[in-house]
Amino acid sequence: MLIKSTLLFILLLSTGCTKHHQVSLNPSLPIHDSKIGNNIPISFNVEDTRQSNIIAKWHKGIRKFSISAQNDLKDIFSAKIQHGLKKLGFIPKGRTRNPNHSLKVDILNIKSKYTVKSRMNVKVKTNLRATCINKGRKYSNLYSAKKSRIGITPATFPNENLLNASLSELLGKMFRDKALLSCLIE
């Protein structure tokens, strides 16, 4: 009986110290309005290829936490990419059959790593791949962004501003890629 009580106490203690945090991801689009797209219809599709929706996990002793996005990242990126295509003068369309111009974006990685000493340090790493297919021509590129903050107060945890800044940088790199834009407008 004592062993069962002890195990139950340890189980309650460890689950009571586990916290799950959800962050609101809403990256900005750091691009200017343009007519480069010349009203070309673009079929686009976004896939979340990550194995898990978890952005960060941390386990030190009995302190545990995990972080995930509040909303589906596929939906967030679909809306942002549609908006970005419109800002560049394209006419974005959902996935269509046999499109002349298509853009596929794969969300590959969104991770945060936390270390705590007297203050908290956080590193964010994000990756995505964009693939353009246009009349038999194919262009694909991997985009990465890394951000970090050192010596922050735990009150800023889980630091969704840093996550959003990294995602904004990633989208900016993609929408400023001249080879990708060239593939889309040919």
Side-chain angles (χ1 to χ4, degrees):
M1 186 66 177
L2 180 61
I3 294 173
K4 285 183 182 181
S5 297
T6 305
L7 287 174
L8 182 60
F9 176 73
I10 291 171
L11 180 65
L12 289 173
L13 183 64
S14 66
T15 58
C17 295
T18 301
K19 300 229 181 216
H20 181 75
H21 303 275
Q22 290 189 321
V23 291
S24 176
L25 297 181
N26 187 20
S28 62
L29 281 171
I31 57 172
H32 299 288
D33 290 348
S34 169
K35 299 293 182 195
I36 192 170
N38 202 24
N39 291 326
I40 297 172
I42 299 290
S43 170
F44 76 97
N45 182 38
V46 176
E47 294 293 326
D48 188 354
T49 62
R50 299 172 307 139
Q51 292 181 349
S52 165
N53 195 31
I54 301 294
I55 294 170
K57 279 186 178 182
W58 191 60
H59 177 21
K60 285 274 193 193
I62 62 170
R63 293 179 60 199
K64 300 176 189 178
F65 71 79
S66 64
I67 299 171
S68 66
Q70 211 170 34
N71 298 319
D72 184 10
L73 280 177
K74 185 177 171 181
D75 294 340
I76 294 166
F77 272 83
S78 291
K80 291 297 176 180
I81 289 168
Q82 181 176 15
H83 183 67
L85 289 170
K86 285 180 183 177
K87 284 183 79 152
L88 293 175
F90 294 99
I91 300 172
K93 299 184 178 273
R95 181 183 259 181
T96 59
R97 290 185 142 198
N98 300 321
N100 286 332
H101 298 83
S102 70
L103 175 64
K104 180 182 181 205
V105 177
D106 295 309
I107 304 166
L108 303 175
N109 185 30
I110 300 174
K111 291 286 182 200
S112 288
K113 183 177 180 182
Y114 295 86
T115 54
V116 177
K117 293 184 180 166
S118 60
R119 310 238 317 137
M120 184 178 283
N121 300 331
V122 60
K123 293 180 182 178
V124 174
K125 182 179 179 185
T126 55
N127 303 92
L128 64 84
R129 180 187 310 109
T131 304
C132 165
I133 299 176
N134 182 358
K135 300 176 187 169
R137 181 178 176 217
K138 182 177 180 178
Y139 173 79
S140 185
N141 198 6
L142 179 68
Y143 305 94
S144 299
K146 294 179 183 178
K147 299 260 184 221
S148 63
R149 290 191 61 201
I150 298 171
I152 61 174
T153 62
T156 62
F157 177 83
N159 210 329
E160 65 188 27
N161 290 340
L162 194 62
L163 283 163
N164 281 315
S166 181
L167 295 174
S168 297
E169 180 180 328
L170 200 63
L171 288 170
K173 286 179 179 181
M174 183 184 81
F175 281 119
R176 286 189 299 268
D177 182 347
K178 290 179 182 178
L180 178 67
L181 293 174
S182 175
C183 177
L184 290 173
I185 61 175
E186 284 183 355

